[in-house]
């Protein structure tokens, strides 16, 4: 396979450039106050954030500036997430609230996209219940945003564009990144795993890996531009490379990026334990730029529950993997996702999760109560435990993890950490950044340091946040 067969054709992108110019001209006239303004709100994971940055890039080329205020906007785009029911409800609420904004500004153009829109029932509900939404599109067609906007404004018709999954990968779209210190680089799209609770494979389609040369070139450019941290993104980065003409696995990709000289750090997410290899941990340990940090979601500590989740590893395999990784890197920082109350999970099985997290001493956890997603296998499973009971288990989990995180942070007092400074915490006036292990450190310092690395001596631990002072 040649490059051009796995990327969206130049013709298609050229066509979109023509629409871009047309929309730019139309919006100049339609805009309420001079330069047209867009509000782009992204929900969900970093993949969505990365998509949002591409759509902002396209909107910039269409002449838009950006705003956070609905009443100022000529175009509002909600980039949605379908991972849990609560996430969807929030989006529906926020879309509903746009009705009044549109009443005040009838020429406002409203678009809704992202993972929620790849579900038939959701797109249908938008069609019927939210007639003021002009454009609805899915995750596979974001490069056609200019064309969709053109159609909506010139034909005064609602535009619905979903599905259309192809083997092509979209390369060459403009990107308007949200910051200039940390950047997201997608290495693969989609997911083939079909964990029984998860909607992602249905809304994001099959796994597709970007060409390694395109990824390395993007990383090199970012480093040259002065970005200090790159996070490689994919739902299961460890299966990177499937279907590529050249045999390149994720470890090899990491080595190629790590070979780029410069003062930066490299992270990646998410790793699936079933595909995490010893080679991966060896690569991290031997690298110059990869943080000794891995987000490796275990989801549950019970082998029976893991099987029902279709995760393809058990408790022992997870423990073995981490044992190996910690032998290689005693300073390895681990984080994980946990689902509480998977259908049929018993309290004893939940306690196996508690014991696993005690044993693992995760730096932090992302914890969720199971949410049935229509169309997934788990949504059909019997689920006798009440929601109230699940919330009690959930609190127990949080309490246990808080103690672990506090202990871990306390053990860091006295050490000196290399911190990438991200911002000033407006509440306490301190600079705030992260260690390589992804722990937040706050300390006094100058505004000019934002976006730079500093060595910070940790003087105090406040639960899961560290305080310190700059020593260089
Ligand atoms: N690809 C990643 C996860 C992406 S979704 C992985 O495999 O680890 C992020 C997290 O949301 C998942 O790890 C899981 O913990 C949680 N999640 C996904 N579907 C869920 C559901 N139906 N209910 C509750 N939590 C869910
Ligand atoms: Fe969902 Fe599993 Fe794919 Fe992660 S690996 S996105 S949890 S199906
Ligand atoms: Fe949500 Fe889609 Fe990410 S469902 S978690 S935004 S891939």
């Amino acid at each position: 396979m040649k490059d051009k067969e796995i990327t969206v054709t130049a013709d298609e992108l050229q066509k979109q450039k023509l629409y871009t110019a047309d929309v730019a001209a139309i919006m100049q006239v339609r805009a309420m106050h001079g330069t047209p303004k867009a509000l782009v709100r992204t929900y969900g994971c970093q993949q969505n954030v990365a998509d949002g940055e591409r759509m902002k890039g396209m909107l910039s080329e269409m002449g838009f500036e950006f705003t956070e205020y609905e009443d100022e906007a000529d175009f509002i785009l909600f980039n949605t997430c379908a991972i849990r029911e609560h996430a969807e409800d929030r989006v529906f609420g926020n879309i509903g609230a746009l009705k009044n904004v549109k009443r005040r500004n009838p020429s406002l153009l409203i678009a809704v996209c992202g993972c929620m829109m790849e579900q038939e029932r959701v797109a249908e509900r938008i069609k019927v219940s939210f007639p003021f939404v002009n454009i609805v599109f899915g995750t596979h067609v974001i490069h056609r945003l200019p064309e969709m906007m053109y159609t909506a404004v010139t034909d005064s018709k609602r535009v619905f564009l979903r599905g259309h999954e192809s083997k092509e990968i979209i390369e060459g779209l403009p990107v308007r990144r949200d910051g200039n210190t940390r950047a997201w680089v997608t290495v693969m799209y989609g997911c083939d795993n079909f964990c029984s609770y998860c909607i992602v494979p249905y809304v994001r389609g099959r796994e597709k890996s970007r060409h390694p040369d395109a990824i390395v070139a993007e990383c090199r450019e970012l480093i040259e531009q002065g970005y200090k941290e790159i996070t490689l993104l994919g739902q299961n980065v460890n299966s990177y490379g499937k279907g590529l003409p050249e045999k390149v696995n994720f470890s090899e990709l990491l080595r190629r990026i790590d070979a780029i000289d410069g003062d930066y750090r490299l992270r990646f997410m998410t790793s699936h334990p079933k595909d995490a290899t010893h080679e991966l941990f060896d690569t991290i340990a031997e690298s110059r730029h990869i943080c000794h940090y891995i987000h490796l979601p275990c989801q549950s500590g019970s082998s029976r529950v893991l099987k029902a989740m279709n995760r393809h590893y058990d408790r022992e395999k997870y423990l073995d993997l981490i044992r190996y990784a910690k032998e290689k890197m005693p300073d390895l920082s681990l984080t994980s996702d946990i689902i509480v109350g998977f259908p049929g999970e018993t309290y004893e099985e939940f306690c196996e999760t508690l014991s696993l997290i005690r044993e693992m001493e995760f730096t932090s956890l992302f914890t969720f109560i199971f949410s049935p997603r229509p169309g997934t296998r788990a949504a059909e499973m019997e689920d006798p435990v009440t929601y109230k009971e699940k919330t009690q288990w959930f609190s127990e989990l949080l309490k246990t993890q808080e103690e672990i995180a506090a202990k871990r942070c306390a053990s860091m007092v006295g050490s000196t950490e290399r911190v990438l400074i991200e911002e000033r915490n407006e509440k306490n006036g301190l600079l705030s950044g992260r260690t390589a292990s992804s722990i937040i450190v706050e300390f006094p310092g100058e505004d000019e340091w934002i976006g730079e690395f500093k060595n910070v001596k940790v003087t105090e631990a406040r639960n899961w946040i560290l305080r310190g002072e700059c020593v260089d």
Side-chain angles (χ1 to χ4, degrees), residues 324-344:
Y324 180 84
K326 287 202 168 164
E327 256 166 44
K328 283 270 157 183
M329 291 170 281
D331 62 339
L332 181 73
S333 165
L334 262 179
T335 58
S336 178
D337 296 346
I338 300 278
I339 297 179
V340 172
F342 184 80

PDB file of all heavy atoms in Angstrom, residues 324-344:
ATOM      1  N   TYR A 324       7.119  -6.661  36.082  1.00  0.00           N
ATOM      2  CA  TYR A 324       8.225  -6.523  35.127  1.00  0.00           C
ATOM      3  C   TYR A 324       8.573  -5.043  34.944  1.00  0.00           C
ATOM      4  O   TYR A 324       9.745  -4.654  34.993  1.00  0.00           O
ATOM      5  CB  TYR A 324       7.838  -7.146  33.776  1.00  0.00           C
ATOM      6  CG  TYR A 324       8.945  -7.019  32.754  1.00  0.00           C
ATOM      7  CD1 TYR A 324       9.988  -7.933  32.695  1.00  0.00           C
ATOM      8  CD2 TYR A 324       8.977  -5.934  31.851  1.00  0.00           C
ATOM      9  CE1 TYR A 324      11.024  -7.805  31.793  1.00  0.00           C
ATOM     10  CE2 TYR A 324      10.004  -5.786  30.942  1.00  0.00           C
ATOM     11  CZ  TYR A 324      11.027  -6.725  30.915  1.00  0.00           C
ATOM     12  OH  TYR A 324      12.053  -6.584  30.015  1.00  0.00           O
ATOM     13  N   ALA A 325       7.518  -4.232  34.751  1.00  0.00           N
ATOM     14  CA  ALA A 325       7.740  -2.806  34.477  1.00  0.00           C
ATOM     15  C   ALA A 325       8.455  -2.137  35.653  1.00  0.00           C
ATOM     16  O   ALA A 325       9.365  -1.329  35.462  1.00  0.00           O
ATOM     17  CB  ALA A 325       6.410  -2.123  34.206  1.00  0.00           C
ATOM     18  N   LYS A 326       8.065  -2.501  36.878  1.00  0.00           N
ATOM     19  CA  LYS A 326       8.672  -1.853  38.053  1.00  0.00           C
ATOM     20  C   LYS A 326      10.094  -2.350  38.304  1.00  0.00           C
ATOM     21  O   LYS A 326      10.911  -1.627  38.877  1.00  0.00           O
ATOM     22  CB  LYS A 326       7.787  -2.045  39.278  1.00  0.00           C
ATOM     23  CG  LYS A 326       6.541  -1.170  39.198  1.00  0.00           C
ATOM     24  CD  LYS A 326       5.920  -0.906  40.534  1.00  0.00           C
ATOM     25  CE  LYS A 326       4.890   0.192  40.412  1.00  0.00           C
ATOM     26  NZ  LYS A 326       3.981   0.285  41.543  1.00  0.00           N
ATOM     27  N   GLU A 327      10.360  -3.577  37.873  1.00  0.00           N
ATOM     28  CA  GLU A 327      11.748  -4.055  37.965  1.00  0.00           C
ATOM     29  C   GLU A 327      12.639  -3.190  37.070  1.00  0.00           C
ATOM     30  O   GLU A 327      13.733  -2.800  37.441  1.00  0.00           O
ATOM     31  CB  GLU A 327      11.832  -5.494  37.460  1.00  0.00           C
ATOM     32  CG  GLU A 327      11.950  -6.522  38.568  1.00  0.00           C
ATOM     33  CD  GLU A 327      11.694  -7.906  38.021  1.00  0.00           C
ATOM     34  OE1 GLU A 327      12.213  -8.246  36.935  1.00  0.00           O
ATOM     35  OE2 GLU A 327      10.938  -8.653  38.692  1.00  0.00           O
ATOM     36  N   LYS A 328      12.108  -2.914  35.883  1.00  0.00           N
ATOM     37  CA  LYS A 328      12.868  -2.096  34.923  1.00  0.00           C
ATOM     38  C   LYS A 328      12.959  -0.648  35.383  1.00  0.00           C
ATOM     39  O   LYS A 328      13.961   0.019  35.175  1.00  0.00           O
ATOM     40  CB  LYS A 328      12.161  -2.117  33.551  1.00  0.00           C
ATOM     41  CG  LYS A 328      12.378  -3.369  32.790  1.00  0.00           C
ATOM     42  CD  LYS A 328      13.604  -3.222  31.919  1.00  0.00           C
ATOM     43  CE  LYS A 328      14.160  -4.593  31.585  1.00  0.00           C
ATOM     44  NZ  LYS A 328      15.386  -4.499  30.801  1.00  0.00           N
ATOM     45  N   MET A 329      11.829  -0.137  35.933  1.00  0.00           N
ATOM     46  CA  MET A 329      11.769   1.279  36.329  1.00  0.00           C
ATOM     47  C   MET A 329      11.148   1.404  37.715  1.00  0.00           C
ATOM     48  O   MET A 329       9.934   1.544  37.848  1.00  0.00           O
ATOM     49  CB  MET A 329      10.900   2.066  35.326  1.00  0.00           C
ATOM     50  CG  MET A 329      11.508   2.220  33.969  1.00  0.00           C
ATOM     51  SD  MET A 329      10.320   2.883  32.794  1.00  0.00           S
ATOM     52  CE  MET A 329       9.354   1.429  32.411  1.00  0.00           C
ATOM     53  N   PRO A 330      11.975   1.350  38.745  1.00  0.00           N
ATOM     54  CA  PRO A 330      11.420   1.423  40.111  1.00  0.00           C
ATOM     55  C   PRO A 330      10.640   2.720  40.344  1.00  0.00           C
ATOM     56  O   PRO A 330       9.769   2.773  41.204  1.00  0.00           O
ATOM     57  CB  PRO A 330      12.665   1.363  41.003  1.00  0.00           C
ATOM     58  CG  PRO A 330      13.727   0.755  40.144  1.00  0.00           C
ATOM     59  CD  PRO A 330      13.434   1.162  38.740  1.00  0.00           C
ATOM     60  N   ASP A 331      10.931   3.766  39.537  1.00  0.00           N
ATOM     61  CA  ASP A 331      10.228   5.036  39.733  1.00  0.00           C
ATOM     62  C   ASP A 331       8.986   5.152  38.845  1.00  0.00           C
ATOM     63  O   ASP A 331       8.414   6.225  38.719  1.00  0.00           O
ATOM     64  CB  ASP A 331      11.171   6.210  39.423  1.00  0.00           C
ATOM     65  CG  ASP A 331      11.647   6.199  37.971  1.00  0.00           C
ATOM     66  OD1 ASP A 331      11.585   5.120  37.330  1.00  0.00           O
ATOM     67  OD2 ASP A 331      12.090   7.257  37.470  1.00  0.00           O
ATOM     68  N   LEU A 332       8.561   4.061  38.241  1.00  0.00           N
ATOM     69  CA  LEU A 332       7.425   4.119  37.302  1.00  0.00           C
ATOM     70  C   LEU A 332       6.154   4.595  38.010  1.00  0.00           C
ATOM     71  O   LEU A 332       5.800   4.094  39.076  1.00  0.00           O
ATOM     72  CB  LEU A 332       7.173   2.734  36.689  1.00  0.00           C
ATOM     73  CG  LEU A 332       6.033   2.679  35.672  1.00  0.00           C
ATOM     74  CD1 LEU A 332       6.438   3.341  34.363  1.00  0.00           C
ATOM     75  CD2 LEU A 332       5.620   1.231  35.398  1.00  0.00           C
ATOM     76  N   SER A 333       5.476   5.550  37.387  1.00  0.00           N
ATOM     77  CA  SER A 333       4.200   6.036  37.916  1.00  0.00           C
ATOM     78  C   SER A 333       3.080   5.440  37.076  1.00  0.00           C
ATOM     79  O   SER A 333       3.123   5.477  35.848  1.00  0.00           O
ATOM     80  CB  SER A 333       4.198   7.562  37.831  1.00  0.00           C
ATOM     81  OG  SER A 333       2.895   8.055  37.992  1.00  0.00           O
ATOM     82  N   LEU A 334       2.091   4.912  37.780  1.00  0.00           N
ATOM     83  CA  LEU A 334       1.008   4.195  37.089  1.00  0.00           C
ATOM     84  C   LEU A 334      -0.320   4.855  37.373  1.00  0.00           C
ATOM     85  O   LEU A 334      -0.612   5.206  38.528  1.00  0.00           O
ATOM     86  CB  LEU A 334       0.880   2.822  37.733  1.00  0.00           C
ATOM     87  CG  LEU A 334       1.511   1.590  37.151  1.00  0.00           C
ATOM     88  CD1 LEU A 334       1.186   0.427  38.081  1.00  0.00           C
ATOM     89  CD2 LEU A 334       0.965   1.298  35.769  1.00  0.00           C
ATOM     90  N   THR A 335      -1.153   5.005  36.353  1.00  0.00           N
ATOM     91  CA  THR A 335      -2.535   5.427  36.597  1.00  0.00           C
ATOM     92  C   THR A 335      -3.469   4.457  35.879  1.00  0.00           C
ATOM     93  O   THR A 335      -3.037   3.694  35.010  1.00  0.00           O
ATOM     94  CB  THR A 335      -2.805   6.874  36.117  1.00  0.00           C
ATOM     95  OG1 THR A 335      -2.514   6.963  34.723  1.00  0.00           O
ATOM     96  CG2 THR A 335      -1.975   7.885  36.870  1.00  0.00           C
ATOM     97  N   SER A 336      -4.738   4.496  36.270  1.00  0.00           N
ATOM     98  CA  SER A 336      -5.654   3.492  35.729  1.00  0.00           C
ATOM     99  C   SER A 336      -7.090   4.012  35.711  1.00  0.00           C
ATOM    100  O   SER A 336      -7.418   4.977  36.394  1.00  0.00           O
ATOM    101  CB  SER A 336      -5.575   2.236  36.605  1.00  0.00           C
ATOM    102  OG  SER A 336      -6.481   1.267  36.151  1.00  0.00           O
ATOM    103  N   ASP A 337      -7.909   3.342  34.902  1.00  0.00           N
ATOM    104  CA  ASP A 337      -9.359   3.560  34.947  1.00  0.00           C
ATOM    105  C   ASP A 337      -9.994   2.355  35.645  1.00  0.00           C
ATOM    106  O   ASP A 337      -9.531   1.228  35.455  1.00  0.00           O
ATOM    107  CB  ASP A 337      -9.953   3.610  33.522  1.00  0.00           C
ATOM    108  CG  ASP A 337      -9.443   4.777  32.708  1.00  0.00           C
ATOM    109  OD1 ASP A 337      -8.850   5.695  33.282  1.00  0.00           O
ATOM    110  OD2 ASP A 337      -9.661   4.760  31.478  1.00  0.00           O
ATOM    111  N   ILE A 338     -11.041   2.628  36.403  1.00  0.00           N
ATOM    112  CA  ILE A 338     -11.760   1.546  37.092  1.00  0.00           C
ATOM    113  C   ILE A 338     -13.264   1.721  36.865  1.00  0.00           C
ATOM    114  O   ILE A 338     -13.781   2.835  36.971  1.00  0.00           O
ATOM    115  CB  ILE A 338     -11.531   1.598  38.628  1.00  0.00           C
ATOM    116  CG1 ILE A 338     -10.041   1.459  38.988  1.00  0.00           C
ATOM    117  CG2 ILE A 338     -12.388   0.571  39.356  1.00  0.00           C
ATOM    118  CD1 ILE A 338      -9.514   0.064  39.028  1.00  0.00           C
ATOM    119  N   ILE A 339     -13.923   0.625  36.552  1.00  0.00           N
ATOM    120  CA  ILE A 339     -15.389   0.662  36.468  1.00  0.00           C
ATOM    121  C   ILE A 339     -15.959  -0.064  37.689  1.00  0.00           C
ATOM    122  O   ILE A 339     -15.565  -1.197  37.990  1.00  0.00           O
ATOM    123  CB  ILE A 339     -15.893  -0.023  35.180  1.00  0.00           C
ATOM    124  CG1 ILE A 339     -15.389   0.748  33.951  1.00  0.00           C
ATOM    125  CG2 ILE A 339     -17.426  -0.115  35.174  1.00  0.00           C
ATOM    126  CD1 ILE A 339     -15.802   0.151  32.619  1.00  0.00           C
ATOM    127  N   VAL A 340     -16.838   0.605  38.376  1.00  0.00           N
ATOM    128  CA  VAL A 340     -17.488   0.020  39.553  1.00  0.00           C
ATOM    129  C   VAL A 340     -18.903  -0.394  39.160  1.00  0.00           C
ATOM    130  O   VAL A 340     -19.609   0.363  38.482  1.00  0.00           O
ATOM    131  CB  VAL A 340     -17.561   1.055  40.702  1.00  0.00           C
ATOM    132  CG1 VAL A 340     -18.393   0.535  41.862  1.00  0.00           C
ATOM    133  CG2 VAL A 340     -16.166   1.423  41.173  1.00  0.00           C
ATOM    134  N   GLY A 341     -19.303  -1.601  39.592  1.00  0.00           N
ATOM    135  CA  GLY A 341     -20.692  -2.023  39.372  1.00  0.00           C
ATOM    136  C   GLY A 341     -20.961  -2.524  37.970  1.00  0.00           C
ATOM    137  O   GLY A 341     -22.072  -2.342  37.433  1.00  0.00           O
ATOM    138  N   PHE A 342     -19.964  -3.180  37.363  1.00  0.00           N
ATOM    139  CA  PHE A 342     -20.224  -3.849  36.082  1.00  0.00           C
ATOM    140  C   PHE A 342     -21.336  -4.876  36.328  1.00  0.00           C
ATOM    141  O   PHE A 342     -21.408  -5.471  37.399  1.00  0.00           O
ATOM    142  CB  PHE A 342     -18.935  -4.535  35.597  1.00  0.00           C
ATOM    143  CG  PHE A 342     -19.070  -5.171  34.258  1.00  0.00           C
ATOM    144  CD1 PHE A 342     -18.992  -4.402  33.108  1.00  0.00           C
ATOM    145  CD2 PHE A 342     -19.314  -6.537  34.138  1.00  0.00           C
ATOM    146  CE1 PHE A 342     -19.146  -4.984  31.856  1.00  0.00           C
ATOM    147  CE2 PHE A 342     -19.463  -7.119  32.897  1.00  0.00           C
ATOM    148  CZ  PHE A 342     -19.384  -6.342  31.748  1.00  0.00           C
ATOM    149  N   PRO A 343     -22.232  -5.108  35.337  1.00  0.00           N
ATOM    150  CA  PRO A 343     -23.353  -6.029  35.564  1.00  0.00           C
ATOM    151  C   PRO A 343     -22.896  -7.382  36.120  1.00  0.00           C
ATOM    152  O   PRO A 343     -21.996  -8.006  35.555  1.00  0.00           O
ATOM    153  CB  PRO A 343     -23.956  -6.200  34.167  1.00  0.00           C
ATOM    154  CG  PRO A 343     -23.590  -4.952  33.454  1.00  0.00           C
ATOM    155  CD  PRO A 343     -22.264  -4.524  33.995  1.00  0.00           C
ATOM    156  N   GLY A 344     -23.489  -7.760  37.235  1.00  0.00           N
ATOM    157  CA  GLY A 344     -23.181  -9.060  37.838  1.00  0.00           C
ATOM    158  C   GLY A 344     -22.007  -9.019  38.794  1.00  0.00           C
ATOM    159  O   GLY A 344     -21.717 -10.010  39.472  1.00  0.00           O
TER     160      GLY A 344
END
